[in-house]
Amino acid sequence: GLLDLSVCAPLRDDVTLADLFALDWLAEVHPDGLVAAQAAAAAGRLRAAWGQPGAACRMLREHQRNANNIPEIAIALVDQAEADVLFAAGDRERAQSAWDRASWRLRKAQARPLLLTVLRHRASALIGRGLHQDASALLREARSLAREQDEAGVRSACLRAAADNATAAGEVLGAEALYDQAAQHPAPPREVENRVIGAAGLALARADKEHARSLLLKAAPELLPLARANRERRLADLAMADEDPAAAQVHALAAAEAYAIAGETVARAHALRALGDAALAQGAITRAAQAYRDAITGYLRTQDHPGLRRALKRAAIVEALVGQTELAARLDATAAALEG
């Protein structure tokens, strides 16, 4: 249900503004402090996903100020939601502080299953920003907790997340071993789909196009927005490897749209940059320029400087192609300044 958003559940397609109003109402009037906190955390996440991080942080802090005599877990849920909103907006220092508060409260309350969930969720956010060592540290702790609890499904998810991180970091051999270990543990269908899509990314990294294709064809069409976006992103990469930029544009655009629904601004910017690359490869200069501009906007919103630097360099290439050499030089200079 909607309250699952409070514990980092992926956003569904069918969530509406009426759902947000219902969560606001529950957060304000529900007599159970834990339910009220769940509603507040879920509402904060929804606001952030819909492009209102400032409003999300304000309402989460207001809930904390007004709440009285509520359990540690409830406070931790709101802290965790605020941390995620801050991190998504690029405020890593304040996000880390809120994450630390949430972790301390969850350990104090001995809420290990919930701590496991938020550790994996945080690691996923770090992977999206290329912070692979930080993500690895969180996943090691999560895997240790999962072993202590003998939670096979959770163990599979932790191993898969570690494999995703290794793939993104270019550690191909390590990623393959981790995916194999993850497959040895039972897991719910949604996690199996995540593992299949991740393994397809590994196959692409190894230039094994046919294996990647067979894996992506296995993914169910009724995936949630985030998993659907990840699948489309891999399909875009596969199409580029097939030297089919027209198909790559279709899949990159579908990925960007699904990431937008899921509230994944950085991943959407990555997909838009891929859309620009595909359009440029096809000679569609105007479309490439627009895709790079949209990607730059996303990176600016989230203060993702590595992504911004890459998008600026691509945009500079487009401007040079249309004769805007002065603008191209400025974009290149800005990208170079971000490397410092």
Side-chain angles (χ1 to χ4, degrees), residues 70-124:
I70 62 174
E72 293 286 351
I73 292 178
I75 302 172
L77 285 173
V78 180
D79 281 338
Q80 175 67 29
E82 183 183 359
D84 289 344
V85 172
L86 290 167
F87 186 82
D91 192 341
R92 286 176 55 188
E93 185 175 341
R94 290 169 65 205
Q96 187 61 55
S97 177
W99 273 340
D100 289 344
R101 292 197 305 273
S103 297
W104 179 81
R105 294 184 190 284
L106 291 173
R107 291 188 178 93
K108 182 180 177 183
Q110 297 186 351
R112 290 189 172 186
L114 183 53
L115 179 59
L116 259 170
T117 298
V118 300
L119 286 171
R120 287 192 293 114
H121 180 73
R122 288 180 207 168
S124 178

Side-chain angles (χ1 to χ4, degrees), residues 108-312:
K108 182 180 177 183
Q110 297 186 351
R112 290 189 172 186
L114 183 53
L115 179 59
L116 259 170
T117 298
V118 300
L119 286 171
R120 287 192 293 114
H121 180 73
R122 288 180 207 168
S124 178
L126 292 169
I127 293 167
R129 296 297 186 99
L131 301 170
H132 302 298
Q133 290 186 347
D134 293 340
S136 291
L138 291 176
L139 289 169
R140 280 195 296 272
E141 181 180 358
R143 288 162 63 186
S144 176
L145 284 171
R147 283 194 296 270
E148 289 175 15
Q149 295 184 111
D150 197 29
E151 291 280 353
V154 176
R155 257 185 289 169
S156 178
C158 291
L159 287 162
R160 188 267 310 161
D164 291 347
N165 188 39
T167 300
E171 299 168 3
V172 174
L173 292 178
E176 185 174 14
L178 287 164
Y179 281 128
D180 287 344
Q181 291 176 49
Q184 293 170 13
H185 298 285
R190 183 186 298 173
E191 177 53 35
V192 173
E193 297 290 358
N194 288 335
R195 187 171 69 236
V196 168
I197 294 168
L202 174 61
L204 285 168
R206 298 176 61 183
D208 189 347
K209 295 191 295 182
E210 294 314 310
H211 186 46
R213 199 184 322 276
S214 68
L215 288 169
L216 291 170
L217 288 173
K218 290 181 183 177
E222 64 273 10
L223 294 169
L224 289 171
L226 181 55
R228 188 169 71 242
N230 289 335
R231 178 177 181 269
E232 291 289 346
R233 183 69 176 82
R234 302 293 188 280
L235 286 168
D237 291 341
L238 178 59
M240 287 297 281
D242 285 337
E243 298 183 358
D244 187 353
Q249 287 184 70
V250 173
H251 291 301
L253 180 59
E257 290 172 347
Y259 281 131
I261 294 170
E264 297 288 338
T265 306
V266 171
R268 177 176 179 268
H270 293 339
L272 288 168
R273 197 178 73 230
L275 173 61
D277 292 346
L280 188 59
Q282 201 176 19
I285 302 300
T286 301
R287 188 174 199 190
Q290 184 60 57
Y292 291 140
R293 282 195 292 270
D294 291 342
I296 288 168
T297 299
Y299 290 131
L300 286 170
R301 277 182 57 197
T302 56
Q303 295 296 298
D304 186 330
H305 288 175
L308 178 60
R309 183 175 64 249
R310 289 190 288 269
L312 286 169

Side-chain angles (χ1 to χ4, degrees), residues 46-71:
L46 267 185
R47 281 189 169 83
W50 292 346
Q52 300 176 349
C57 283
R58 285 192 297 273
M59 68 86 57
L60 289 167
R61 289 170 193 155
E62 183 178 354
H63 183 84
Q64 294 283 51
R65 284 196 300 269
N66 295 336
N68 294 310
N69 299 319
I70 62 174

